[in-house]
Amino acid sequence: MDEQTRNILEILEEDARIVPEEIAALTGMTVEEVSRKIEYLEKAKIIRKYKTIVDWELAGENYVYAIIELKVQLERKLGYQAIAERLYKFPEVRSVRLLSGEHDISITVRGNSMKQVAFFVAEKIATLDQVQSTATHFVLKTYKENGLILDEPDQVKRLAVSP
């Protein structure tokens, strides 16, 4: 990959709303060159989606997130892809990752309550034939998401010292 393409991708990854004119100014390319490269990157599925990071807590929504680690038994002649496909079809599942270490797969799940997430894990995930065991970790607070700091500390305000 050439440096101009890498620069465009890094700029868009940082701010998906940036317009080609601004990217051109940052990279020294023409607007047409930037637009053509972006169009190519979209068609080649290198750029998969433009995403907005929402602070749901600040917006007043109380979603519960959990990270569930799974140990799985692979089906004969099928790899991890088969179980991953079953998992990512559930609308509650936000991400699916193949892991190294003690667990094989990690999924991130979103629900409206801890009870709803627990029910989902018990009724939908743990009952899958390939799943041998699960370990559920509820997310208590998110400080950083996709490179964005969500919980920036307030500036420490000192009282003026009077003489």
Side-chain angles (χ1 to χ4, degrees), residues 37 74 83 97 102 114 133 137:
K37 281 198 182 267
L74 298 179
I83 184 69
R97 294 181 173 90
E102 290 185 36
M114 290 177 79
S133 66
H137 309 278

Side-chain angles (χ1 to χ4, degrees), residues 67-68 84 87 94-99 103-108 145-146:
I67 299 166
I68 298 106
L87 294 167
R94 310 299 287 176
S95 67
V96 179
R97 294 181 173 90
L98 182 62
L99 304 175
H103 292 89
D104 302 307
I105 293 179
S106 167
I107 62 173
T108 302
E145 183 74 30
N146 291 326

Side-chain angles (χ1 to χ4, degrees), residues 40-57:
Y40 164 77
L41 294 165
E42 291 170 344
K43 285 182 180 176
K45 295 190 177 185
I46 294 169
I47 295 176
R48 302 298 295 255
K49 181 177 183 178
Y50 294 94
K51 179 101 171 119
T52 300
I53 299 170
V54 177
D55 187 331
W56 287 109
E57 185 177 335

